[in-house]
Amino acid sequence: MDEQDFIQELEQYSALLTQHNAEVVGCTKEQIRELEAFHKIQLPTFYKIYLRYFGVTAGTLFLGSDAYYDCLIGSDNITQGFIELLHENNITPPDHLFAILLHQGYAGEFFITKPYMDDPIIYNYCEGRNIQEDSLFSKNILRFFQEHIDYWKKGIIKAS
């Protein structure tokens, strides 16, 4: 998937959330620079694009999970929490791990920042299991959006 296709998909999903009265706020360029400076990394291009649309809040998109800007930065950020989770379960964290989601302290997703990839591979972990390779970030997040839409249609969750 190229960047323009990814942006179009994000814009469509953002519009859909907004139509259903969800608050959708992306990160500013300054917030993204702060994340990179705090973690001393270059964030992948596709992840930065995603953050510009959904980095601060997005309705019920990550209900029950930590995935937004305020959880990505600071001394108690989710990358630190994810590393602790792995250590508690006797798993050596991969070098250059950057967590993008931590679900209720027992599961989450991350990518590796080195070597750099514009659209990194996402890895999943859930307590009691091994780390699993998933898909590229763009494919992973768009699949998640589609699952979220399917849950709306079934009445399982609401947008806001």
Side-chain angles (χ1 to χ4, degrees), residues 53-76:
Y53 286 90
F54 302 100
V56 175
T57 192
T60 60
L61 186 59
F62 293 109
L63 189 63
S65 299
D66 294 325
Y68 297 118
Y69 174 79
D70 62 342
C71 299
L72 297 171
I73 198 164
S75 61
D76 60 347

Side-chain angles (χ1 to χ4, degrees), residues 15-30:
L16 183 61
L17 281 169
T18 303
Q19 289 169 5
H20 287 85
N21 300 318
E23 181 181 16
V24 178
V25 180
C27 287
T28 65
K29 289 180 182 179
E30 179 61 28

